[in-house]
Amino acid sequence: MDKLIRTAVRWLVLGLLLLQVEAFYIPGWSVKSYKKNEQIPLLVNKVYSDSTELQYAYYDLPFVCPPTGQRRPGSGLFSGESISLNLGEVLRGDRIKASDIDLVMNQDNECQSLCNREISRRDLKRAKEMVKDGYVVEWIVDNLPGATSFVTVDKTRKYYAAGFKLGYTDHSGGRSRYFLNNHHTIVIRYRRAPGRAGDRGGMVVVGFEVYPKSVGANVKRNSDGCPADLHDVDQHFELYLPPNQTSSDLGIEYPRSSYYPEATEDIDDDAKLTIPYSYSVYFREDNSIEWNHRWDLYFVNQEEGSRIHWLAIVNSLIICGLLTGIVLMILTKTIRTDIKGYREGSAEDGKARSRQAARTPKLSEKGLGLLDQEGAADNDGDVSSDEEALEDVTGWKLLHADIFRAPAYGYLLAPLVGSGMQLLFMAAGLVFLSALGILNPSFRGGFISFGVGLFVFAGLFSGYFSARVYRTFGGQDWRKNMAVTAVLFPGMLFAVVFVLNLFVWAQASSTAIPFGTLIAIVFLWLCVQGPLVYVGSWYGYVRAGAWDHPTKTSAIPRQIPQQAWYIKGAQAILLAGLIPFAVIFIELLFVFQSMWQDKSGYYYVFGFLAVVSTILILTIAEVTVVTIYVQLCSENYHWWWQSFLVGGGSALWVFLYCVWYYFTKLHITGFVSSMLFFSYSFMACCVYGLLTGTVGFLSAYLFVRKIYGAIKAD
């Protein structure tokens, strides 16, 4: 146990050191420099909202300027042509395409008309719904998302929020009016390129800001279609289309305002609304931002929560320290005292038996009757001596012949443990690579792509541990166990994702996974992960074999006495799961905020997460050891499943936290979005439960082997 504690401390120190590591850009992503008058591609991606889980590709919106299909200079792409995406980008809903917006390095453009888009009432209704839901647009320049600029509360620092508003809602007057942002002012911040590129006149982009504005259709415009005065716009573009019919036709007076949208939005006619789109471009030199720190502005506002992160670590350390003290007390005092008493009792009992055997005369046929009487008296003395010797052998020491009895449904527990090891390897790899800075926001989709890759590769570990546990439980058909391991958890995950995808497909959302990507995922699952699980299972079952136990199992199981309420299945799982949840609930707030509220997904404090995760694993191991020890002291040897469930018990609290977060922090509307939230939360909690349950199972197994091996040694 001392070795385990020293190892945990080393990992904790390593995690604290990772907090000081600065993120760097992934290998292969070099500095892109532009010369004066060189074309800079502007890419459009998607729109997303905090009020819904449905994202949409920008060019799929019926009320924005469609791509012209013309070849864009400098990029070799045609307008509307899709950019090659990695697996992670596709899964996160990215749909990146080249746009018609012209950006020429160091050339300002006060105004440029983009298009005049005609939309129907149906398209108008959708635009109003998306503005009402607060959709945000994501454009990309030089791998930087277009940002809305803000300043901190003390007005000392500027920071970015990824994306810009599609429109806005005016709630004055008692009713809601919806306005569309149809003019975009683009500000590109640049500086001299580092190294030789800068000596040759190269410049690099260090900031991409977008300032949207709503400009009414009746605003005075120049001959090129641009507003005559963008600085003094007295009319905004309201999403409203009056009916073609007169009041005498329908007997209704239609007000000319979106104050009363219900009066016109369901009318079926051929009326059209023309939306004029335009943009402005300004280049501003900014030497205060280094190229390798240009992403820092997206995180300035989040850095204010660093104190809360440290509070979370201190809270976790206090809880973990208390548990460590309890475990040390159990191992160094209680268990050693019990083992010492057991050894002394066994030694005294052995000496008494030896003395009794020496006094016993040899049997003879002549004195058989007398010896039978004396033997009966001696046997009474032996029973009395045995009872006295076993008076102190109580609790967990009585279970030495049953402690390693194979559990019920062991054929299901083994694949779950294997899948848990697979997820543990994946999670550890992701946190480690992210803490080092290899997986950072500049590598769009990298976190998910690496996660899928690590999960598939970890099929080796899944098969190995599943096969060894299965053989330890006495399993005979390792190929069947291999098939269950390869299919059970990935199959459940794929089935849920596929069903959810049907609902998202019906909404024409970019959140839906394309059919080709689904085929690729199935290929990775069955054709790559499957063989790896087979190899791991073969090696674990055939070559490594079962784990040897220090005690033998009797043929007849002993009876289990009545258990206290707090160590029964459900109660023990809930009570024990509350402690690991207390370790992580502060950090969960930041993770959830990044996932559900900040849809850009730029969670970056992986150094803190690495430390909290290390403390969490140590806490789960200690909680499981304490819980199983209390259970064994109550003479209950059904600990296999219990250790797994106790280890994963905090997943129940995390799911309850998700429910609380949904009703108190989020403003998600719509059935499909709510279903996506709870389905994703359920899958995430299953992943977390399998991972932590495996940690609890292995910790309890090492603990049980340790204490019963100490008895066997003497």
Side-chain angles (χ1 to χ4, degrees):
M1 188 64 186
D2 293 340
K3 183 178 179 181
L4 176 62
I5 295 174
R6 288 195 298 270
T7 303
V9 171
R10 292 193 190 101
W11 278 104
L12 180 60
V13 172
L14 176 61
L16 292 173
L17 291 176
L18 288 177
L19 295 179
Q20 310 302 323
V21 176
E22 294 186 359
F24 56 87
Y25 285 86
I26 61 171
W29 178 260
S30 58
V31 179
K32 172 64 176 176
S33 62
Y34 301 91
K35 294 183 179 180
K36 188 176 181 179
N37 299 329
E38 183 178 351
Q39 191 84 17
I40 303 176
L42 189 148
L43 309 175
V44 298
N45 188 6
K46 61 185 177 182
V47 295
Y48 52 87
S49 170
D50 295 339
S51 300
T52 176
E53 295 305 309
L54 298 175
Q55 305 175 107
Y56 297 95
Y58 182 78
Y59 273 149
D60 287 345
L61 302 181
F63 50 86
V64 303
C65 288
T68 61
Q70 297 178 357
R71 189 176 185 87
R72 306 305 302 157
S75 63
L77 299 173
F78 293 93
S79 172
E81 182 178 350
S82 297
I83 307 299
S84 299
L85 304 177
N86 59 48
L87 179 60
E89 289 176 307
V90 175
L91 294 180
R92 70 193 293 265
D94 289 345
R95 302 294 184 266
I96 304 176
K97 297 182 179 181
S99 74
D100 287 297
I101 297 178
D102 286 323
L103 299 180
V104 181
M105 175 56 76
N106 218 13
Q107 284 191 10
D108 292 348
N109 188 346
E110 291 187 2
C111 185
Q112 177 69 45
S113 177
L114 190 59
C115 78
N116 291 315
R117 181 65 189 265
E118 286 191 350
I119 62 173
S120 63
R121 292 190 185 277
R122 184 176 183 180
D123 300 334
L124 174 65
K125 181 179 180 180
R126 186 178 182 190
K128 291 166 65 175
E129 291 174 349
M130 298 188 75
V131 170
K132 179 181 178 181
D133 289 336
Y135 270 88
V136 173
V137 182
E138 181 178 305
W139 290 352
I140 302 170
V141 169
D142 195 47
N143 204 39
L144 282 177
T148 303
S149 178
F150 297 94
V151 294
T152 55
V153 177
D154 57 5
K155 298 183 180 180
T156 59
R157 292 181 295 175
K158 182 175 73 173
Y159 68 92
Y160 287 161
F164 56 91
K165 288 289 186 179
L166 185 66
Y168 66 93
T169 305
D170 182 8
H171 297 287
S172 61
R175 285 183 176 269
S176 300
R177 302 172 66 187
Y178 305 100
F179 296 87
L180 181 69
N181 292 324
N182 58 338
H183 180 86
H184 302 94
T185 300
I186 300 170
V187 178
I188 304 296
R189 300 195 177 274
Y190 70 95
R191 63 171 296 157
R192 179 182 174 182
R196 296 181 179 178
D199 297 335
R200 293 192 294 265
M203 291 166 281
V204 292
V205 176
V206 294
F208 174 30
E209 303 169 5
V210 181
Y211 300 92
K213 180 179 291 187
S214 181
V215 182
N218 296 325
V219 171
K220 183 179 179 181
R221 297 177 180 271
N222 300 326
S223 58
D224 57 0
C226 284
D229 187 1
L230 283 169
H231 302 287
D232 185 16
V233 177
D234 57 356
Q235 182 186 3
H236 304 295
F237 193 90
E238 185 177 1
L239 290 170
Y240 171 73
L241 184 62
N244 286 340
Q245 296 93 335
T246 63
S247 58
S248 59
D249 293 331
L250 299 177
I252 301 174
E253 183 68 24
Y254 293 99
R256 301 186 63 82
S257 171
S258 63
Y259 272 128
Y260 306 94
E262 66 277 2
T264 61
E265 63 183 13
D266 293 327
I267 296 177
D268 186 14
D269 58 21
D270 58 353
K272 300 291 184 180
L273 176 66
T274 301
I275 306 176
Y277 280 96
S278 57
Y279 66 92
S280 303
V281 180
Y282 297 95
F283 285 84
R284 294 294 180 264
E285 187 173 5
D286 192 341
N287 293 318
S288 64
I289 306 173
E290 297 287 345
W291 187 87
N292 56 345
H293 290 285
R294 61 181 187 164
W295 280 89
D296 292 355
L297 288 174
Y298 293 87
F299 307 132
V300 168
N301 193 43
Q302 299 182 39
E303 289 177 358
E304 297 179 359
S306 60
R307 294 182 180 179
I308 302 178
H309 286 292
W310 282 112
L311 177 62
I313 290 178
V314 172
N315 169 72
S316 304
L317 286 174
I318 292 174
I319 296 174
C320 185
L322 292 174
L323 282 172
T324 302
I326 295 174
V327 172
L328 288 176
M329 183 181 66
I330 291 175
L331 290 178
T332 60
K333 184 178 179 181
T334 306
I335 293 182
R336 288 186 179 180
T337 302
D338 289 348
I339 292 174
K340 182 179 179 181
Y342 178 81
R343 293 172 180 173
E344 292 176 352
S346 299
E348 292 178 0
D349 181 52
K351 292 179 181 178
R353 289 178 180 274
S354 299
R355 289 194 298 268
Q356 183 66 31
R359 291 197 304 267
T360 302
K362 294 182 179 181
L363 293 176
S364 61
E365 294 180 359
K366 182 177 181 180
L368 185 58
L370 179 61
L371 289 176
D372 286 342
Q373 296 177 2
E374 293 178 354
D378 291 339
N379 288 337
D380 292 339
D382 290 342
V383 172
S384 178
S385 299
D386 290 343
E387 290 177 352
E388 291 177 358
L390 291 173
E391 283 181 356
D392 292 331
V393 184
T394 58
W396 64 272
K397 300 180 291 297
L398 292 175
L399 304 179
H400 62 89
D402 296 274
I403 191 66
F404 294 108
R405 189 178 302 279
Y409 307 105
Y411 57 86
L412 180 60
L413 179 58
L416 292 179
V417 172
S419 298
M421 287 301 302
Q422 186 176 11
L423 293 170
L424 183 62
F425 177 85
M426 179 195 72
L430 287 176
V431 172
F432 179 74
L433 293 175
S434 299
L436 290 179
I438 297 176
L439 301 181
N440 57 72
S442 70
F443 189 4
R444 186 177 290 102
F447 191 86
I448 298 178
S449 298
F450 268 73
V452 173
L454 289 173
F455 181 82
V456 171
F457 174 76
L460 284 170
F461 299 94
S462 175
Y464 174 81
F465 280 92
S466 175
R468 292 206 70 177
V469 173
Y470 178 73
R471 186 163 186 179
T472 301
F473 290 161
Q476 301 296 323
D477 190 352
W478 69 272
R479 288 183 176 84
K480 180 180 179 181
N481 176 75
M482 179 276 301
V484 173
T485 304
V487 172
L488 180 61
F489 175 72
M492 182 201 74
L493 207 62
F494 181 83
V496 174
V497 169
F498 182 79
V499 172
L500 292 177
N501 216 43
L502 297 178
F503 288 91
V504 181
W505 264 335
Q507 301 293 323
S509 170
S510 66
T511 308
I513 304 175
F515 182 75
T517 305
L518 286 176
I519 297 299
I521 292 174
V522 172
F523 175 82
L524 289 174
W525 171 25
L526 299 180
C527 300
V528 180
Q529 187 211 223
L532 291 175
V533 174
Y534 181 89
V535 172
S537 297
W538 173 84
Y539 190 85
Y541 190 93
V542 178
R543 298 294 298 273
W547 281 300
D548 295 327
H549 295 151
T551 62
K552 295 182 179 180
T553 302
S554 62
I556 302 176
R558 65 181 291 112
Q559 186 175 1
I560 300 175
Q562 182 68 27
Q563 302 292 295
W565 68 270
Y566 55 85
I567 60 174
K568 291 183 179 179
Q571 293 89 327
I573 294 170
L574 288 175
L575 291 175
L578 186 59
I579 299 176
F581 174 74
V583 170
I584 62 171
F585 84 96
I586 297 179
E587 195 64 32
L588 273 180
L589 182 64
F590 292 92
V591 175
F592 277 37
Q593 183 177 353
S594 176
M595 291 176 57
W596 303 118
Q597 291 184 282
D598 181 12
K599 295 301 179 61
S600 58
Y602 297 144
Y603 180 85
Y604 76 103
V605 284
F606 284 98
F608 288 104
L609 185 62
V611 175
V612 174
S613 299
T614 303
I615 299 174
L616 172 66
I617 291 176
L618 185 59
T619 301
I620 290 174
E622 292 172 343
V623 167
T624 308
V625 166
V626 173
T627 305
I628 295 304
Y629 174 72
V630 173
Q631 177 178 324
L632 297 181
C633 288
S634 300
E635 302 179 19
N636 184 354
Y637 56 86
H638 294 309
W639 63 274
W640 296 100
W641 273 105
Q642 188 72 354
S643 63
F644 184 86
L645 296 175
V646 166
S650 57
L652 299 174
W653 292 101
V654 173
F655 186 76
L656 292 177
Y657 186 83
C658 293
V659 176
W660 172 83
Y661 196 86
Y662 174 84
F663 287 105
T664 60
K665 299 293 184 180
L666 301 180
H667 305 285
I668 294 178
T669 57
F671 170 75
V672 175
S673 295
S674 298
M675 180 183 64
L676 289 175
F677 173 84
F678 286 108
S679 299
Y680 290 154
S681 299
F682 174 76
M683 289 190 295
C685 290
C686 287
V687 170
Y688 173 83
L690 278 175
L691 191 154
T692 54
T694 301
V695 172
F697 175 86
L698 295 177
S699 302
Y701 183 65
L702 292 174
F703 170 74
V704 170
R705 284 177 59 91
K706 179 72 175 178
I707 62 176
Y708 285 95
I711 294 178
K712 179 68 175 179
D714 293 308

